[in-house]
Amino acid sequence: MRNTRALAVAGAAVAALGLSAPAAVAWDRPSNIVVLPSVIARGGQLTITVDGCRNGGTATSTAFSPTRLSPVGGGGKGNEGGRGGAGSGTARGTATVNSDARPGPYDITVTCDGGSLTKPQAFTVIGGVRGGIGGSSTTGATPTDVAIGGGLVAAAVVGGGVFWMRRRAERNI
């Protein structure tokens, strides 16, 4: 009976050690990329946050130029024991989307601490608005559209006048 308990305790200890080891290894490499906002117009700014990137790194995409990621948090050894990391294990940076980026989804690749991670379809670029051009847009009404609309208004006025004149004539009888 005692051997069974000792074996169960030893098995639990090995399982706990086995489950904690991958988390410790993942801390030394980029493990999570968060991009905000996830939908952005051309020329907008993205905030990129990466876990497992103690010393900072670089974020790249075809929608923006390479962006430096800086460590977030205080220096010192804190939770990192004797490893002497520079920050809390998180790095952050701001990227500006190119004004000529095509609408659609884009990937982001982060390189830091000797490792790299790619997040597919991390954000989506939408087409910009054509603000300030008002009625000078070429997608508005053409002269033909205006002529048709004017003809319909004239027909409505004539038809309304004929109807009103007939109603008036009926009252005089």
Side-chain angles (χ1 to χ4, degrees):
M1 182 89 160
R2 288 187 181 187
N3 289 338
T4 306
R5 286 184 186 165
L7 187 58
V9 169
V14 169
L17 182 63
L19 291 174
S20 66
V25 171
W27 192 255
D28 291 331
R29 294 188 172 266
S31 60
N32 186 29
I33 300 172
V34 178
V35 180
L36 293 175
S38 62
V39 177
I40 189 164
R42 294 178 284 214
Q45 290 189 330
L46 293 168
T47 300
I48 305 164
T49 306
V50 183
D51 294 334
C53 198
R54 290 190 326 252
N55 299 316
T58 305
T60 58
S61 176
T62 56
F64 56 81
S65 57
T67 301
R68 175 85 179 122
L69 303 174
S70 302
V72 177
K77 296 185 179 179
N79 294 335
E80 296 158 7
R83 293 185 290 179
S88 65
T90 302
R92 182 174 296 138
T94 303
T96 302
V97 177
N98 296 333
S99 60
D100 61 348
R102 291 183 172 220
Y106 285 89
D107 302 345
I108 289 183
T109 300
V110 171
T111 305
C112 61
D113 297 334
S116 67
L117 177 68
T118 298
K119 182 173 185 178
Q121 299 182 355
F123 65 99
T124 302
V125 174
I126 58 174
V129 296
R130 299 188 331 177
I133 58 173
S136 66
S137 172
T138 60
T139 60
T142 64
T144 305
D145 295 333
V146 173
I148 292 171
L152 289 173
V153 169
V157 168
V158 169
V162 168
F163 178 76
W164 182 69
M165 293 298 283
R166 285 189 54 161
R167 296 284 293 172
R168 188 171 169 207
E170 288 176 3
R171 285 189 198 153
N172 291 336
I173 296 179

